């Protein structure tokens, strides 16, 4: 009661004041309160819309501000005249201003629902049909209609490319090799050509497919952290490959259009920092960009850039890292945004498709249904060690000799054991027995929690999956006196050789073969080779791998136990 | 209205406490005029001073009597812990706000149970809880988007770490494979020099390369040091940014199974060049003389393993086996001259750089990177007491760190004695000088002064920034 009377008072007050519009300009503070006819309602609204549309059109046609103003004044005079106070004698200024006022409020109501988005995307849609460059920061989603078939094929074609990148990296190829390989795959599934191919290819169609497919996968991969990380990682690499492929002029033009520019070091400043910048002669002439170090993380972590007072001095040939960091930042934000919007997505045609896309392509994670729990008991572990890959054998050996493992070692080994079927009860028994130098209360206090945590019954209750090779090789590098990690990656060469000999590999060729793989950073292939040799599977005549490349310690265990079973049967 | 009454209640509380203070004070410091207490600071100082001063006086007069550790801890937390500055530091302002309220604390209690996700609405609550629980160890975590004590009732997405100081943890146990004096928890002044060099190298790198200004180095109470970098920019870093910094600073890589842990590039980064200069200053004294790393075959093999040429390794080994008692420093000269005279055109550069690589491997700081890279990682708070050594975790001035002696850091027992002594003498000739805090009477004083100055440095910068911001908005 009180509220409404207050409002009425306010508006009443306004109404009395408001019948007189003193100026042509209006901040549209108070809505009109008078009665108007339906006809008036409609014509007022449409007339104002005419003017706004005309503005939109003029802007889209890229006219100058001066031109736009002239054009709009014309249209305005026709549909929605609004004259300054000095026209008092000749025109009914109050009627004009009333129309302006009322029509504004009608459209405000009509466009309030999702006005911002509509305006923005509306604008984009008309601009966006023209992709000027092969590179794309995927700022605006596509708005056009596409068929379900297109939806699916576009998405899967892009996925082929991203998957190919993942595979190439797993096979430890060099950056150059990866680029060659991906360009090939790309040409087949998702061709995207530079502007000089204009004559021969339908560049717009290629770029449209690239654009749409990106947005579909963005939606499919936005739903949890793991999927987001996967997508982010390989999209960034794809962008990097394309950026490297593109000609310098088009690259620079693209960056200019995207308004990505960095301050540069002047030549005198450059000269004064010559010693610190530490650049080789070939790069000396190129510009040096000055950015905050947070924008050049990849260079900072490689110690490949000079830092001073929190600023990174990035030479032009490392520009790609800056672009990529920008791309990554934007995509990361966009994925989070998408993940928030995803629960609202309610479309029975595309939801199953989206769900399907990411499930179809997730590798085996050795969790849940894949594991037969209770198959293995704490006492079996010692017998089974022969089936373990070297990383786990190493952990086991160290656990037995020092009766202890450090945190990351425990985690790596415990999760692996969980993956081969040790239940939480058995795991606790296993670790309790193994830590024989430690008294019970200390064990319960300092270790049992973590073991249960790995099984998802403490803390945030996440059921952790056994670590895969990539994670073991790349995350948490072992520090002094830590034993986790991948022996092929983290052992010195002498140690590796000794370990191979300990495992019964006496043939010098075979040893050198593995050592060469290690030197070339093909750790997983080295591990696969080790498996083949120790199980006499190696095909000596051909250099082709006999078994699938090991990508997961539990995959190694599974393969090894299966092999033994099948041999027994024979 | 309600706000008003709350304020009233607060001031009346302050007055009450002040009155209590006065009662105690009039007994001891008779000639202090009460009119001095008009300013707000005065009131605050009174508030923070401990009202329970009489306990100690009434108690054990005898100097020999030392209470047990938990009693000593209680004494430390009630009398000496610098709550006021501590809260100001963690809050980065005098007005208590979210930075303090949403900060995670963790207590390790005397039964060794650890309580995580503690948080406090104001410094008084923190003080009350510390005094009540007398934790063996206090850890500081991140500032979260909500109160850590409410964590269980929040959606995971509503509870995210927002900021935390960039922290580093260096521990002598990570030097066990190279230090020859003690192993594990024991330290001596000789092996402490590893920490001195670590501080020198990291301090300059963090200041010059990353532009950080507010670095607080803290002795961890036993065998290591912590560094808290408190610049706003450092506090706002995300995990990736923290990782990149660690990777920039880290030179020693590889686990127990890898002998050679340092590989340098041909074109050495200017930051490493600067580190190498520092290392060269200390290498002879610390590594060759104090640690004597070439004294016997077992130890020199570790050094030789870093030379990438088998022939050279064998040669040097043979040479030293003939004269095993030769001082390390002479053996080191052997090694250098052998390398420079060795004819191996292909590998010459790698061999030459292996000298620097050995120096890096023995003296460059070894970081516990997990502490640094996770924003939500806990780290032991400054001014805790190490339960085993009873030493207080005091600040170390990086400019003067070569004079820091961990074995001379005040322990609970010495502090207890000192305070007892001064209190006994003070009661004889009462009130010559006004004392704001108990710690001014003991050997913690210089450390507390250092900490006060450090926090004041941060506050000054914040004030200047605020002033600039307000001037900007005025101009607008």
């Amino acid at each position: 009661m009180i509220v409404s009377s207050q409002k009425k008072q306010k508006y009443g007050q306004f109404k009395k004041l408001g019948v007189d519009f003193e100026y042509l300009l209006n901040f549209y503070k108070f809505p009109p309160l008078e009665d108007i006819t339906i006809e008036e309602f409609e014509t007022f609204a449409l007339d104002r819309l005419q003017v706004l549309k005309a503005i939109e059109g003029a802007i889209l046609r890229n006219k100058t501000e001066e031109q736009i103003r002239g054009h709009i004044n014309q249209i305005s005079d026709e549909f929605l005249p609004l004259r300054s106070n000095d026209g008092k004698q000749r025109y009914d200024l109050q009627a004009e201003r009333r129309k302006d006022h009322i029509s504004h409020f009608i459209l405000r109501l009509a466009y309030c629902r999702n006005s911002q988005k509509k305006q923005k995307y509306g604008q984009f849609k008309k601009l966006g049909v023209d992709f000027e460059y092969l590179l794309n920061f995927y700022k605006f989603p596509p708005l056009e209609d596409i068929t379900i078939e297109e939806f699916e094929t576009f998405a899967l074609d892009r996925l082929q490319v991203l998957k190919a990148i993942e595979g190439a990296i797993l096979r430890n190829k060099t950056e150059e090799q990866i680029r060659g390989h991906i360009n090939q795959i790309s040409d087949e599934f998702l061709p995207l050509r530079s502007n000089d191919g204009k004559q021969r290819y339908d560049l717009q169609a290629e770029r449209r497919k690239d654009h749409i497919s990106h947005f579909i996968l963005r939606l499919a991969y936005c739903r949890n952290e793991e999927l987001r990380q996967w997508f982010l990682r390989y999209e960034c690499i794809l962008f990097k490959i394309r950026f490297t492929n593109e000609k310098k002029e088009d690259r620079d033009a693209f960056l200019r259009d995207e308004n990505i520019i960095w301050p540069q070091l002047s030549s005198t400043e450059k000269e004064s920092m010559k010693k610190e910048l530490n650049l080789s002669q070939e790069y000396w002439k190129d510009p040096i960009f000055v950015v905050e170090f947070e924008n050049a993380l990849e260079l900072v972590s490689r110690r490949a850039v000079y830092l001073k007072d929190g600023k990174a001095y990035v030479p032009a040939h490392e520009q790609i890292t800056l672009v990529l960091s920008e791309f990554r930042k934007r995509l990361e934000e966009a994925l989070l945004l998408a993940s928030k919007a995803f629960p609202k997505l309610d479309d029975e045609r595309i939801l199953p498709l989206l769900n399907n896309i990411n499930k179809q392509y997730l590798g085996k994670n050795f969790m849940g249904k894949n594991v037969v729990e209770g198959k293995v008991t704490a006492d079996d572990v010692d017998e089974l060690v022969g089936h373990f890959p070297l990383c786990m054998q190493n952990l086991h050996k160290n656990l037995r000799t020092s009766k202890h493992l450090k945190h990351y070692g425990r985690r790596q080994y415990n999760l692996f054991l969980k993956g081969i079927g040790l239940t939480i009860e058995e795991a606790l028994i296993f670790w309790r027995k193994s830590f024989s130098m430690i008294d019970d209360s200390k064990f319960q206090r300092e270790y049992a929690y973590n073991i249960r945590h790995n099984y998802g019954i403490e803390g945030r209750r996440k059921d952790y999956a056994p670590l895969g090779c990539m994670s073991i090789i790349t995350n948490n590098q072992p520090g002094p006196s830590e034993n986790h990690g991948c022996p092929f990656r983290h052992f010195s060469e002498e140690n590796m050789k000794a370990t191979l000999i300990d495992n019964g590999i006496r043939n010098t060729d075979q040893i050198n073969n593995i050592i060469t793989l290690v030197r070339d950073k093909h750790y997983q292939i080295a591990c696969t080779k080790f498996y083949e040799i120790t199980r006499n599977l190696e095909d000596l005549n051909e250099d082709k791998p006999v078994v699938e490349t090991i990508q997961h310690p539990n995959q190694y265990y599974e393969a090894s136990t299966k092999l033994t079973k099948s041999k027994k049967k024979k | 209205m309600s706000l008003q009454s709350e304020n009233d209640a607060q001031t009346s509380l302050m007055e009450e406490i002040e009155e209590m203070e006065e009662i105690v004070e009039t007994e001891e410091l008779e000639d202090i005029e009460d009119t001095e207490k008009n300013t707000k600071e005065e009131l605050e100082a009174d508030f923070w001073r401990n009202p329970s001063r009489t306990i100690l006086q009434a108690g054990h007069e005898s100097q020999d009597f030392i209470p047990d550790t938990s009693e000593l801890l209680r004494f430390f937390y009630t009398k000496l812990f610098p709550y006021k500055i501590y809260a100001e530091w963690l809050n980065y302002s005098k007005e208590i706000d979210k930075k303090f309220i949403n900060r995670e604390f963790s207590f390790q209690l005397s039964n060794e149970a650890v309580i995580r996700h503690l948080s406090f609405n104001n410094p008084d609550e923190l003080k009350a809880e510390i005094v009540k629980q007398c934790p063996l160890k206090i850890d500081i975590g991140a500032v979260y988007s909500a109160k850590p004590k409410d964590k269980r009732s929040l959606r995971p997405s509503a509870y995210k770490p927002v900021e935390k100081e960039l922290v580093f943890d260096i521990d002598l146990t990570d030097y066990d494979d190279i230090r020859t004096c003690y192993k594990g928890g024991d330290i001596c002044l000789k092996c402490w020099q590893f920490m001195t060099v670590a501080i020198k190298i990291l301090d300059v790198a963090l200041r010059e390369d990353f532009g950080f200004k507010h670095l607080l180095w803290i002795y961890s109470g036993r065998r290591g040091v912590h560094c808290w970098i408190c610049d706003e920019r450092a506090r706002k870093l995300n995990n990736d940014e923290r990782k990149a910094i660690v990777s920039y600073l880290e030179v020693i890589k590889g686990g127990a199974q890898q002998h050679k842990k340092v590989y340098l590039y041909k074109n050495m980064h200017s930051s490493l060049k600067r580190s190498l200069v520092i290392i060269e200053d200390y290498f002879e004294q610390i590594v060759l003389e104090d640690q004597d790393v070439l004294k016997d075959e077992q130890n020199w093999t570790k050094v030789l393993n870093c030379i990438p040429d088998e022939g050279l390794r064998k040669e040097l080994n043979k040479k030293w086996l003939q004269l095993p008692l030769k001082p390390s420093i002479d053996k080191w000269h052997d090694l250098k001259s052998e390398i420079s005279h060795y004819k191996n055109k292909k590998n010459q550069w790698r061999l030459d750089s292996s000298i620097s690589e050995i120096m890096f491997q023995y003296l460059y700081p070894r970081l516990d990177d997990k502490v640094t890279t996770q924003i939500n990682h806990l780290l032991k708070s400054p001014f805790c007491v190490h339960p085993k050594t009873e030493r207080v975790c005091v600040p170390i001035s990086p400019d003067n760190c070569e004079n820091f002696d961990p074995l001379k850091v005040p322990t609970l027992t010495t502090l207890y004695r000192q305070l007892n002594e001064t209190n006994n003498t003070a009661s004889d000739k009462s009130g010559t000088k006004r004392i704001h805090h108990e710690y001014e009477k003991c050997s913690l004083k210089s450390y507390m002064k250092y900490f006060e100055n450090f926090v004041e440095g941060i506050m000054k910068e914040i004030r200047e920034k605020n002033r600039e911001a307000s001037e900007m908005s005025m101009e607008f």
Side-chain angles (χ1 to χ4, degrees), chain B residues 273-287:
Chain B
K273 280 184 191 153
R274 184 187 51 213
S275 303
L276 188 58
V277 172
I278 301 175
I279 288 173
E280 278 167 348
D281 278 352
Y282 288 92
F283 187 77
E284 230 168 71
Q285 180 64 41
I286 298 177
V287 178

Side-chain angles (χ1 to χ4, degrees), chain B residues 45-105:
Chain B
D46 273 347
F47 180 70
W48 283 103
R49 193 141 20 112
N50 220 289
S52 57
R53 192 180 295 164
T54 37
I55 299 173
L56 209 129
Q57 291 204 324
H60 329 288
E61 303 281 298
S62 141
Q63 301 254 327
D64 309 331
F65 180 85
I66 300 294
D68 67 356
T69 313
S70 65
E71 207 42 49
L72 280 173
L73 262 178
R74 187 169 307 278
F75 148 79
F76 177 78
Y77 285 131
T78 43
K79 296 260 164 197
L80 291 173
F81 196 85
Y83 295 99
K84 183 181 175 216
I85 319 233
Y86 186 76
E88 212 171 272
W89 164 48
L90 290 176
N91 193 54
Y92 295 94
S93 136
K94 294 205 193 233
E95 318 267 316
I96 292 306
D97 67 13
K98 276 191 185 152
K99 283 201 210 64
F100 183 84
I101 296 169
N102 291 352
R103 171 79 76 161
E104 179 187 354
F105 291 89

Side-chain angles (χ1 to χ4, degrees), chain A residues 19 22 24 55 92 123 129 135 163 170 212 225 246 260-261 274 285 293 304 320 348 371 379 407 415 470 531 546 567:
Chain A
V19 281
E22 225 175 312
L24 140 187
I55 298 175
D92 183 354
Q123 198 181 21
V129 282
L135 297 171
K163 276 279 152 185
L170 271 179
I212 292 174
E225 186 58 27
E246 180 66 304
I260 299 179
I261 26 178
K274 192 167 183 174
K285 272 195 242 97
F293 81 85
I320 173 68
E348 55 191 34
V371 180
D379 297 331
H407 174 78
L415 289 174
M470 275 317 275
Y531 176 83
V546 194
K567 274 187 186 160

Side-chain angles (χ1 to χ4, degrees), chain B residues 50-305:
Chain B
N50 220 289
S52 57
R53 192 180 295 164
T54 37
I55 299 173
L56 209 129
Q57 291 204 324
H60 329 288
E61 303 281 298
S62 141
Q63 301 254 327
D64 309 331
F65 180 85
I66 300 294
D68 67 356
T69 313
S70 65
E71 207 42 49
L72 280 173
L73 262 178
R74 187 169 307 278
F75 148 79
F76 177 78
Y77 285 131
T78 43
K79 296 260 164 197
L80 291 173
F81 196 85
Y83 295 99
K84 183 181 175 216
I85 319 233
Y86 186 76
E88 212 171 272
W89 164 48
L90 290 176
N91 193 54
Y92 295 94
S93 136
K94 294 205 193 233
E95 318 267 316
I96 292 306
D97 67 13
K98 276 191 185 152
K99 283 201 210 64
F100 183 84
I101 296 169
N102 291 352
R103 171 79 76 161
E104 179 187 354
F105 291 89
S106 152
F107 288 175
Q108 187 183 348
L109 303 183
S110 51
N111 58 5
E112 301 212 359
V114 177
I115 321 176
R116 279 200 65 174
H117 315 300
L118 294 168
S119 67
F120 305 97
N121 290 325
N122 52 55
D124 304 351
E125 248 182 45
L126 170 72
K127 180 178 181 179
E129 195 64 19
I130 290 181
V131 171
K132 188 177 143 208
Q133 302 276 8
C134 271
L136 287 179
K137 191 173 130 203
I138 301 170
D139 281 294
I140 301 179
V143 178
Y144 286 82
S145 51
K147 290 181 192 174
K149 62 179 167 192
D150 298 339
K151 182 181 184 245
R152 275 165 215 284
S153 58
L154 292 164
R155 277 177 297 121
S157 60
Y159 185 74
K160 288 259 149 61
V162 184
E163 61 174 82
K164 197 189 72 183
E165 293 77 12
L166 176 66
V167 292
F168 287 92
D169 178 9
I170 313 166
D171 198 297
L172 265 176
T173 39
D174 286 328
Y175 290 71
D176 278 353
D177 61 325
I178 53 168
R179 69 185 171 129
T180 56
C181 43
Y182 289 97
K183 292 270 149 94
D186 298 317
I187 57 163
C188 64
L189 203 50
K190 275 185 186 174
C191 54
W192 181 256
Q193 298 313 313
F194 284 120
M195 293 295 113
T196 306
V197 179
I199 295 176
K200 291 265 171 218
I201 289 175
L202 283 184
D203 195 71
V204 66
L206 289 163
R207 284 178 205 270
E208 289 187 2
D209 297 353
F210 293 96
F212 297 133
K213 291 195 191 72
H214 304 288
L215 277 67
L216 181 63
W217 289 94
I218 298 282
Y219 172 51
S220 74
R222 197 174 180 191
R223 59 201 163 180
V225 289
H226 298 159
C227 179
W228 297 77
I229 302 163
C230 306
D231 299 60
E232 188 175 1
R233 184 176 188 180
R235 283 183 270 134
K236 298 261 155 77
L237 294 169
N238 64 32
N239 283 347
D240 288 339
E241 289 157 353
R242 284 165 207 254
K243 247 178 235 160
I245 294 177
V246 167
S247 155
Y248 176 87
L249 293 171
E250 225 170 22
V251 172
I252 296 169
K253 287 171 182 161
Q257 300 292 342
Q258 193 161 336
H259 303 304
K260 189 173 167 67
K261 297 185 168 75
V262 178
Y263 289 92
L264 298 171
Y265 293 118
K266 244 183 193 147
N267 196 353
M268 206 195 283
H269 190 269
S270 58
S271 161
L272 294 188
K273 280 184 191 153
R274 184 187 51 213
S275 303
L276 188 58
V277 172
I278 301 175
I279 288 173
E280 278 167 348
D281 278 352
Y282 288 92
F283 187 77
E284 230 168 71
Q285 180 64 41
I286 298 177
V287 178
L288 297 179
E289 286 193 20
D290 293 351
Q291 294 295 329
D292 207 3
V293 297
L294 299 173
K295 71 174 164 199
D296 51 35
E297 193 178 0
Q298 189 202 345
N299 280 301
W300 78 53
T301 312
K302 289 183 194 163
V303 176
L304 289 182
N305 275 333

